[in-house]
């Protein structure tokens, strides 16, 4: 075929495309950003399901962009109508905003922001078609009228002959067809796709320097891949190349499943005369299978923790999930965190160089440990606000009690917080209720099991004595002196050491005595600092607890 024919064909197939590639490019000027600034994007498809891998990648995008003074934007990749669900865009936007990952531009619930839109691929059909038309006019793309059945027959023959699958070589039957054949099909209104004419060969290797995987050799693409589907909508391959070029993306962060088609993408960039962005292909998230003990990919069916909605529902604070993902992303993050316990995560110098090219191992227990640590560094006020918001949604009955007296709840959360070694009782917001439910009479379900060395009669006497001297304003020393006096009065050593030296002289020690008080007040043996708890409860509640226990024994 000669050059003229291609131009004629392109005009015939795309009569509605009157703009030129140059005109489109002029609408997407080069971004005016400081040297080294990275432009990254999230390109999720609105399938209604957002998973941990999406967040993992988004955190990389967000850090790379914001750490370099660049731009992080949201592009909705909705070219696959079959996978799209109603409300899918909302799910995407809600998921990212609940984790506090701020997009600088892109699709929003009510439209979009930014100068490089539309940010929904379904609204960019004419842009893609403009470039498909241009490729066709140069003989680099052509229509293919193969039916599903014909393609299936190719596949079967390739299987039989032990050949590579796909549309290439002699199987690329529309690649060099005369114009007359094409026109005959068009005259019959036959449906067609547009394919890219590959000049590649599987004999050739291409070097690729991946930001995560390092230096790689990949095989050149020899397939004439589909760039426009029969409805004129592009495939992912074509759409992302055009969008990432026009939108000025400098760095594409995506799952390693795209590495296999990277040669196609590089080929398309070259054909269009554009410089490809840098690629960071991130490893799959793996976990240890409970049953087999082996490593496997997180699965939508088996692992509820794959869904991003899981975390809020289960009470995982968003910053804790992000912090945990950062420990998976950068091997030196934990060391940095130990040196900078109170610094915001954003101060950490994130680098793709520290990302592991092999699968990251997701471990929910490790997430809980990280979470405990993050929460232990939050102020009581921040914890209070979070728990109030979380419980309003997920545990309204607890919410009512928790927020009834905000000062009291907050004072309780402040116990053991703020020092060098803060308490680490809370990993999830669901942990807060069992941690402090005894504070609320409505939830108080005491277990009055006494310490071994204290019988019921002594316990009653101890409680009665303490009720007589309790003062919510006691200093810790004052309180402890009272414990000692009561201990001595009932045959318990006032000093633990004395009891240890002469155990036969005593029933037990002062610790047994304070344990009785703890059991009465908190209804359990484990509770944060007893004196602080009693101060928060106040005289009336403490006395009624002491009395209730006396009666129950
Ligand atoms: N739409 C693609 C996906 O859902 C995005 C891949 C990319 O970020 O380029 O996997």
């Amino acid at each position: 075929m000669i050059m003229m024919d291609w131009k004629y064909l392109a005009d015939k197939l795309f009569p509605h495309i009157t703009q030129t590639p140059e005109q489109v490019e002029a609408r997407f000027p080069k971004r005016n950003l400081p040297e080294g600034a990275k432009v990254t994007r999230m390109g999720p498809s609105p399938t209604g399901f957002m998973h941990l891998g999406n967040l993992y990648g988004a955190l990389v995008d967000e850090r790379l962009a914001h750490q370099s003074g660049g731009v992080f934007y949201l592009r909705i990749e909705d070219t696959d109508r079959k996978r799209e669900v109603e409300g899918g865009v909302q799910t995407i936007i809600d998921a990212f905003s609940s984790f506090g990952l701020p997009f600088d531009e892109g699709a929003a619930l009510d439209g979009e922001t930014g100068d490089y839109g539309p940010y929904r691929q379904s609204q960019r059909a004419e842009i893609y078609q403009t470039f498909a038309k241009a490729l066709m006019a140069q003989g680099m793309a052509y229509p293919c009228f193969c039916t599903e059945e014909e393609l299936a027959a190719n596949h079967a023959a390739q299987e039989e002959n032990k050949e590579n699958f796909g549309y290439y070589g002699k199987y690329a039957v529309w690649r060099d067809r005369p114009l007359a054949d094409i026109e005959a099909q068009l005259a019959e209104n036959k449906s067609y796709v547009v394919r890219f004419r590959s000049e590649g060969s599987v004999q050739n290797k291409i070097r690729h320097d991946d930001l995560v995987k390092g230096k790689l050799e990949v095989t050149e693409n020899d397939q004439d891949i589909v760039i426009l589907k029969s409805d004129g909508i592009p495939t992912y391959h074509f759409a992302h190349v055009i969008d990432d070029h026009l939108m000025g993306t400098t760095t594409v962060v995506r799952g390693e499943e795209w590495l296999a088609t990277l040669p196609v993408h590089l080929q398309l960039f070259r054909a269009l005369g554009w410089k490809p962005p840098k690629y960071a292909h991130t490893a799959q998230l793996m976990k240890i299978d409970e049953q087999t003990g082996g490593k496997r990919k997180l699965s939508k069916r088996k692992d509820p923790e794959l869904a991003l909605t899981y975390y809020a529902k289960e009470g995982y604070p968003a910053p804790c999930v992000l912090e945990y993902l950062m420990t998976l992303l950068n091997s030196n993050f934990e060391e940095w965190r130990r040196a900078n316990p109170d610094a915001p995560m954003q101060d950490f110098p994130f680098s793709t160089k520290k990302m592991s090219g092999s699968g990251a191992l997701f471990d929910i227990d490790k997430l809980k440990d990280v979470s405990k640590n993050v929460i232990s560094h939050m102020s009581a006020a921040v914890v209070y606000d979070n728990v109030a918001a979380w419980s309003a949604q997920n545990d309204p009955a607890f919410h009512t009690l928790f927020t009834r007296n905000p000062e009291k709840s907050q004072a309780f959360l402040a116990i053991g917080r703020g020092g060098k070694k803060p308490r680490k009782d809370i990993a999830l917001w669901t942990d807060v209720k069992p941690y402090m439910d005894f504070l609320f009479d409505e939830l108080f379900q005491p277990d009055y099991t006494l310490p071994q060395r204290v019988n019921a009669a002594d316990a009653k006497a101890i409680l009665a004595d303490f009720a007589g001297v309790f003062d919510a304003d006691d200093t810790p020393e004052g309180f402890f002196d009272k414990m000692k006096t009561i201990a001595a009065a009932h045959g318990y050593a006032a000093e633990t050491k004395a009891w240890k030296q002469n155990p036969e002289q005593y029933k037990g020690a002062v610790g047994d005595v304070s344990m009785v008080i703890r059991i009465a007040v908190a209804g359990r043996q484990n509770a944060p600092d007893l004196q602080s708890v009693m101060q928060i409860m106040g005289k009336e509640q403490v006395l009624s607890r002491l009395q209730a226990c006396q009666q129950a024994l």
Side-chain angles (χ1 to χ4, degrees), residues 41 43-45 75 77 83 236 240 252-254 257-258:
R41 85 299 192 277
S45 303
R75 181 170 74 222
E77 306 215 326
R83 291 176 63 218
Y236 164 76
H240 108 266
V252 169
V253 179
R254 62 182 183 184
E257 65 275 17
W258 295 109

Side-chain angles (χ1 to χ4, degrees), residues 355-395:
M355 284 173 72
S356 151
S358 52
L361 198 59
F362 180 80
D363 175 355
I364 202 118
D365 291 327
K366 184 75 204 293
L367 164 59
K368 285 183 188 159
D369 283 346
V370 168
S371 189
K372 277 186 182 165
N373 196 37
V374 172
I375 294 175
S376 76
H377 285 94
M378 291 177 178
S379 70
V382 168
V383 176
Y384 176 83
D385 289 346
N386 273 282
V387 175
W390 181 85
S391 58
Q393 291 287 319
N394 298 282
D395 190 348

